[in-house]
Amino acid sequence: MLPFPVHPFRPRLVDALRGYTRAQFAADAGAGVTVGIVALPLAMAFAIASGLKPEQGIFTAIIAGFLISALGGSNVQIGGPAGAFIVIVYGIVERYGLANLLISTMLAGVLLFALGFLRLGALVRYIPISIVIGFTNGIAVLIALSQVKDLLGLRIDKLPADFFSQIAVLAMHVHTLNPTALAIGLACLALVVVWPKSYAMPAAPATRLDRLRRHAAQVPGTVIALAGATAVVATFGLDVETIGSRFGGIPQALPSFELPSFSWTSAKQLVIPTVTIALLGAIESLLCARVADNMADIPRHDPNQELMAQGVANIVTPLFGGMPATGTIARTSTNVRSGARTPVAGLVHAATLLAVVLVAAPLAVHVPLAALAGILLFVAWNMGEWHEFARLKRFALTYRTTLVGTFLLTVIFDLTVAVEVGLILSCVFFIWRMSQLFRAEPLDDEALRRAAGEAAPPGVHVMGLYGSLFFGAVGKVEAIVEALPAGTRVLVLECQRLVQLDTTGLDALTQLLHALRKRGVALRLAAVNEQPRSLMHRSGFDALLDEGAVAPTLAEALQRARAPGRSA
């Protein structure tokens, strides 16, 4: 038996299949087929933008999508390659190579599983929203920038991973612009933007146009754009780069199992990439699951089970050449809107993708990369929460600094640096805000009469402590001695509103006690709450005080201060 609590491995699918009906399967199957069709162009686009082959994205969507739905803790979450990973994966492949990407993904899977197994899934929610918005918007900018090459049809062998280097290389090759590729990319982008997104029928009697709109909305705009662009390129033989010209097409077969070469020397260099993949995967999947919970009347997700499923998926998928996977908001939202209510829809989504690969893979050779670039620009725009920049002036300077700083660091450096600095800034600002909440204020006669029913005796000075006395606020305690009025013989600290005390704060009280004794002033404490009182007793601080120096109420502390022989 383990000496610490662990989370039982119980996939949501087990509970969902109890009392499962044909009607539920029909709804889940329809949603799964719809999401599978939506996932196809996105999986290829995410893989290509990450510097990988398109089939690696498809295989990831199939394998990881199946495992996340079968083993996960959400009823409707759809897993697979995500846009948020594009920048991370591209940088890892550039710096460490494909083999080390696979190893890093597997190690991240182990870390994700451990987080869920040890019941640490809730910790991901403690990441401030300003950091999440900052790096999400930063990633969206980088995704959009990475698609400029294919959108314009520029003749560039390989884009660098650095932001400024990318801009410089794009500017150097802008003269190689292909107008045909640009027209295809912009047309696909426009089509995805204007394509109907709603399945709902109007309340008024439906017209023929309304019915046509509803039927059109049942087919995803990304699929229409991709199919249309592919048909045009194949029919007219347009001079644009396609999946066939760059990658030779997509294999019409299942991926083969292969263990990546592993060495501890390489693993030691992959600590930061591994943590980055795990952290981003955990944040994306749990945020996605929370969004899905609010979209439909379904049981709330189990964050720890979801992380364990994400871990298994990221351990298994690299064995078949796949890329990192997580929960995806766009596909999960489509799944819910299509009527899915159980993980069966995710299994059907994976089966749909597998059927497409086995049947229609040869058609992919004509898919223009400019069309995928247009689709990814739409994904990048939807991914960012741009309205938050317009709302920044409504929030405090600390929030604005963290959000904008994380955004800029993500764009200019990388996600790992951005999150690290963002968390440090958040901690510093939190400490600063908490220190501002702590106060040590003198109580005048009127306040004392309200609290204790009497004024302070001559030579007795009363101060109230408010908030949390911790390491960030000890300076205010150290200033108490210098602020004492002349002739003070007893200092009473009223602690009724002192809600928390840490060891550094206790040390500050100890130093205050010694400084007061050097001046011949006695220290009294009144109305000490449970947590501070417990720490004072366990540390031996109460033994340093005079007998009767800790009173249960302020009134009794004042009475004791009046008593002769008990004031020093």
Side-chain angles (χ1 to χ4, degrees):
M1 186 168 179
L2 294 174
F4 48 84
V6 296
H7 194 77
F9 190 86
R10 185 178 178 83
R12 185 60 58 84
L13 181 63
V14 174
D15 298 322
L17 290 179
R18 291 180 177 177
Y20 196 66
T21 64
R22 289 186 178 181
Q24 287 178 312
F25 177 74
D28 287 337
V33 171
T34 301
V35 178
I37 296 173
V38 171
L40 180 63
L42 295 179
M44 291 192 296
F46 291 155
I48 293 172
S50 302
L52 305 174
K53 296 180 180 180
E55 62 264 26
Q56 290 178 274
I58 297 176
F59 293 155
T60 300
I62 295 172
I63 299 170
F66 180 88
L67 292 173
I68 289 172
S69 294
L71 306 177
S74 169
N75 275 44
V76 293
Q77 175 132 279
I78 300 296
F85 278 127
I86 290 176
V87 179
I88 306 302
V89 173
Y90 191 88
I92 294 174
V93 172
E94 280 285 294
R95 184 175 301 177
Y96 302 101
L98 177 59
N100 284 325
L101 169 67
L102 301 180
I103 293 173
S104 186
T105 303
M106 295 178 69
L107 293 175
V110 174
L111 184 56
L112 283 168
F113 187 90
L115 287 174
F117 185 66
L118 298 176
R119 297 185 173 184
L120 300 178
L123 293 180
V124 177
R125 298 180 181 178
Y126 296 154
I127 297 178
I129 190 63
S130 55
I131 296 178
V132 175
I133 294 173
F135 78 66
T136 301
N137 286 6
I139 290 174
V141 169
L142 293 174
I143 291 174
L145 181 63
S146 70
Q147 297 311 299
V148 172
K149 168 183 172 291
D150 288 334
L151 180 71
L152 302 181
L154 303 183
R155 299 184 181 278
I156 302 174
D157 293 334
K158 198 169 187 63
L159 273 178
D162 177 70
F163 174 73
F164 293 110
S165 298
Q166 283 188 6
I167 294 178
V169 171
L170 291 172
M172 289 173 56
H173 293 81
V174 73
H175 63 278
T176 64
L177 181 145
N178 184 335
T180 305
L182 178 60
I184 291 174
L186 292 179
C188 289
L189 175 60
L191 183 59
V192 174
V193 170
V194 303
W195 194 258
K197 304 294 191 301
S198 174
Y199 290 82
M201 291 291 287
T207 64
R208 181 177 299 178
L209 181 61
D210 293 329
R211 288 192 293 269
L212 179 62
R213 179 181 175 86
R214 178 175 182 178
H215 292 312
Q218 293 176 352
V219 183
T222 53
V223 175
I224 297 297
L226 191 66
T230 302
V232 169
V233 170
T235 302
F236 297 101
L238 300 180
D239 182 23
V240 294
E241 194 171 17
T242 65
I243 287 180
S245 63
R246 182 181 293 184
F247 302 102
I250 296 175
Q252 194 176 7
L254 294 172
S256 58
F257 177 90
E258 184 177 351
L259 284 172
S261 57
F262 178 84
S263 69
W264 281 111
T265 303
S266 298
K268 292 176 183 178
Q269 300 176 352
L270 299 174
V271 173
I272 292 179
T274 296
V275 173
T276 302
I277 292 173
L279 179 63
L280 185 57
I283 293 172
E284 283 286 307
S285 64
L286 296 186
L287 284 178
C288 175
R290 291 176 66 185
V291 170
D293 288 345
N294 297 325
M295 291 182 64
D297 184 19
I298 56 176
R300 297 195 66 82
H301 74 282
D302 180 345
N304 295 309
Q305 181 62 41
E306 190 61 31
L307 287 185
M308 286 193 283
Q310 302 283 340
V312 173
N314 282 286
I315 292 171
V316 175
T317 303
L319 298 175
F320 297 91
M323 60 188 292
T326 185
T328 57
I329 293 179
R331 276 158 277 175
T332 299
S333 300
T334 301
N335 191 40
V336 175
R337 290 198 301 265
S338 300
R341 291 298 179 269
T342 75
V344 173
L347 305 182
V348 174
H349 138 267
T352 301
L353 283 170
L354 178 60
V356 171
V357 170
L358 296 178
V359 175
L363 300 178
V365 295
H366 301 295
V367 173
L369 298 181
L372 295 176
I375 292 172
L376 275 184
L377 286 176
F378 180 73
V379 171
W381 174 258
N382 279 345
M383 182 178 176
E385 298 188 46
W386 313 110
H387 62 279
E388 290 295 331
F389 287 125
R391 298 174 62 230
L392 280 177
K393 60 184 179 182
R394 304 180 186 178
F395 298 100
L397 178 63
T398 55
Y399 177 89
R400 299 199 297 266
T401 302
T402 304
L403 192 154
V404 175
T406 305
F407 169 76
L408 293 176
L409 289 170
T410 300
V411 172
I412 297 173
F413 295 97
D414 60 51
L415 177 64
T416 306
V417 173
V419 173
E420 289 174 350
V421 174
L423 286 174
I424 292 173
L425 284 176
S426 296
C427 291
V428 170
F429 290 148
F430 176 76
I431 293 170
W432 179 78
R433 287 196 301 269
M434 292 299 294
S435 68
Q436 297 305 303
L437 294 177
F438 175 78
R439 306 194 314 276
E441 297 180 347
L443 300 182
D444 56 24
D445 288 345
E446 182 179 349
L448 285 172
R449 288 191 179 94
R450 289 198 304 268
E454 60 176 319
V460 177
H461 186 67
V462 182
M463 297 195 72
L465 302 184
Y466 305 86
S468 174
L469 178 52
F470 71 116
F471 62 89
V474 294
K476 296 180 180 180
V477 174
E478 295 168 351
I480 289 178
V481 175
E482 302 301 328
L484 288 177
T488 300
R489 59 184 179 81
V490 178
L491 171 65
V492 178
L493 295 181
E494 196 269 335
C495 303
Q496 185 174 5
R497 295 174 182 83
L498 179 66
V499 296
Q500 193 269 340
L501 177 70
D502 75 352
T503 53
T504 305
L506 182 64
D507 180 72
L509 290 179
T510 304
Q511 299 304 319
L512 174 65
L513 173 64
H514 295 326
L516 290 173
R517 283 179 172 169
K518 289 180 180 179
R519 296 190 175 207
V521 178
L523 178 65
R524 299 284 184 264
L525 302 178
V528 183
N529 287 309
E530 181 179 354
Q531 189 276 331
R533 185 171 65 249
S534 173
L535 180 59
M536 291 176 183
H537 178 70
R538 287 182 284 112
S539 65
F541 174 78
D542 55 358
L544 299 177
L545 299 171
D546 298 330
E547 181 182 354
V550 181
T553 64
L554 179 58
E556 186 168 341
L558 294 179
Q559 288 295 328
R560 294 179 184 181
R562 290 179 186 275
R566 302 189 67 176
S567 62

